[in-house]
Amino acid sequence: MVGIVGKPNTGKSTFFSAATLAPAEIGSYPFTTIKPNRGVGYVRTPCACKEFNIQDNPVNSICLNGIRLIPVELIDCAGLVPGAWQGRGLGNQFLDEIRKADALIHIIDASGGTDSEGRVCKPGEHDPLEDLGFLEHEITMWLASILKKDWPKIARTAEAESKDLLSMLEERLSGLTIKRSHISEAIRRTGINAEKPTDWSDEDFLKFVDTLRQIAKPMLIAANKIDIPTAQENLDKLKKLNYIIAPCCAEAELALRRAAEKKLIDYRPGDCNFKIDKPEQLNESQTRGLETIREKILLKYGSTGVQNAINFAFFKLLNMITVYPVEDVEHLSDHKGKVLPDAYLVPYGTTARQLAYMIHTELGESFIYAVDTREKKRIGEDHVLKDRDVISIISAKKRA
Ligand SMILES: Nc1nc2c(ncn2[C@@H]2O[C@H](COP(=O)(O)OP(=O)(O)O)[C@@H](O)[C@H]2O)c(=O)[nH]1
Ligand SMILES: [Mg+2]
């Protein structure tokens, strides 16, 4: 799950509404809003159907003319103000929400039209670069405050008894979607002695926690409100920093998806342009609005950026790839004859056997070998999958 975070009024809810507005083609698919602030968005990837030149019948995802949209969970987190980790504003609600997040999309108001507390000000008046450090600091301090309480005990126990530090931290942090691998990587990168945690200074401890935050809650910047002229200068400054940045206009994406939903325009999430299907159904101001979006956003930036932000979160921050499990090697279908039915998002490094386990425990247990249908060759259980692989798993038992 990816969390949409930031101070109030930067456009988080607009981004969330746009991202979770299902394309009209989905119709009766069971992809609906889960809770008011939790919903289903999509990552966009070129579908394998084009390459294999076949007509597909997607089941767990959708294919819009060669573009595969795979559902992913998004959460619109409460707006964050400085001091949230101490319970200011909706701090506690916010922190409860990012517990569940694997990665974060930080929406900033690139136009500089909202102050540090999220109050509207004159565009250009606030420096949005200040918002980056503030949010990171809040999350780090929150994590630190959770760990700090038990830290002396954890450090002592880890040294005195058989239980190692890694396992104790893993236990303490398991409810925050922080994995063992995140913790060991943070220890390694911080370069501190995991054998002697009682020797860690306060500074060592904070450095460790901050590194852990970067690993376990990786974040990218969605520089929103690029339609406002003051955003350009801030965008240039942001690009010089070491962040993944997606320039965005959430309002434009929302307008385009709404028009597409009503079948007024032909537009898929993330497209670089749209076609007006029925010009006669649009009034003058609607046409003008859409043409402004085309000219000022799509032609200038290549897209509204909302889809980019989601794709970057899954493909860059979380290193996911897409794989298509099939049963029938010849027809690339499942046992019902559905062609390329499912697209799975899996972390890079996933092996053929791990994929089998993700599909069904029994399939993992009875795995014999798999077939890479593109290369038409057998692959073993340890074979690492590539993006857009179409894989058939051969097992001892027939799939239930
Ligand atoms: N100009 C402009 N305004 C936007 C954009 N996205 C959101 N807004 C406006 O910013 C204000 C705050 O948006 P909202 O989504 O409620 O922000 P949140 O508090 O972060 O959830 C609203 O008036 C939106 O219409 C955008 O891309 N451009
Ligand atoms: Mg909101």
Side-chain angles (χ1 to χ4, degrees), residues 154-218:
I154 290 176
R156 258 185 285 116
T157 314
E159 274 182 36
E161 291 165 33
S162 55
K163 204 152 190 192
D164 64 306
L165 181 65
L166 203 53
S167 302
M168 297 194 53
L169 287 174
E170 185 186 11
E171 220 167 84
R172 187 68 195 84
L173 297 170
S174 63
L176 310 183
T177 325
I178 295 180
K179 297 195 193 103
R180 192 180 176 89
S181 60
H182 295 146
I183 302 166
S184 60
E185 175 65 9
I187 291 175
R188 194 189 65 75
R189 272 199 226 167
T190 316
I192 36 174
N193 188 353
E195 306 289 320
K196 278 293 250 169
T198 55
D199 279 357
W200 293 11
S201 64
D202 283 355
E203 214 176 294
D204 289 338
F205 176 78
L206 259 191
K207 194 169 160 220
F208 163 71
V209 174
D210 193 52
T211 310
L212 182 61
R213 171 192 59 77
Q214 291 172 39
I215 296 166
K217 306 284 173 191

Side-chain angles (χ1 to χ4, degrees), residues 114 121 146 167 217 244:
T114 28
C121 62
I146 288 173
S167 302
K217 306 284 173 191
I244 297 172

Side-chain angles (χ1 to χ4, degrees), residues 205-372:
F205 176 78
L206 259 191
K207 194 169 160 220
F208 163 71
V209 174
D210 193 52
T211 310
L212 182 61
R213 171 192 59 77
Q214 291 172 39
I215 296 166
K217 306 284 173 191
M219 187 160 86
L220 66 84
I221 311 297
N224 195 34
K225 309 198 187 183
I226 49 167
D227 52 302
I228 299 176
T230 47
Q232 192 56 54
E233 196 187 327
N234 290 322
L235 205 53
D236 294 339
K237 283 193 257 170
L238 275 167
K239 283 185 179 153
K240 297 198 181 102
L241 304 178
N242 194 19
Y243 286 100
I244 297 172
I245 294 165
C248 276
C249 183
E251 256 184 5
E253 180 71 15
L254 189 57
L256 292 176
R257 291 213 195 180
R258 282 186 175 149
E261 188 188 28
K262 295 195 195 99
K263 302 215 185 283
L264 297 171
I265 63 170
D266 186 8
Y267 172 78
R268 298 169 303 185
D271 274 354
C272 61
N273 210 336
F274 61 86
K275 213 173 86 227
I276 296 183
D277 276 341
K278 301 183 185 93
E280 68 280 3
Q281 287 188 3
L282 292 169
N283 64 36
E284 206 178 305
S285 87
Q286 283 173 317
T287 309
R288 211 179 321 119
L290 288 169
E291 289 306 335
T292 306
I293 291 174
R294 190 190 326 260
E295 190 188 324
K296 297 263 159 65
I297 305 292
L298 299 181
L299 297 181
K300 189 165 171 210
Y301 293 96
S303 74
T304 69
V306 168
Q307 189 60 56
N308 276 343
I310 297 170
N311 270 29
F312 290 169
F314 286 88
F315 295 137
K316 294 190 181 191
L317 293 180
L318 297 172
N319 280 316
M320 306 289 248
I321 58 168
T322 312
V323 294
Y324 299 81
V326 296
E327 286 176 57
D328 185 322
V329 180
E330 283 308 307
H331 302 95
L332 308 184
S333 65
D334 63 10
H335 60 280
K336 290 182 193 143
K338 291 200 181 288
V339 175
L340 296 173
D342 297 335
Y344 276 54
L345 277 178
V346 302
Y348 177 75
T350 298
T351 62
R353 187 162 201 157
Q354 284 168 339
L355 174 68
Y357 269 107
M358 288 173 192
I359 298 165
H360 203 288
T361 312
E362 202 170 88
L363 195 63
E365 282 165 356
S366 57
F367 181 99
I368 304 174
Y369 66 93
V371 177
D372 175 340

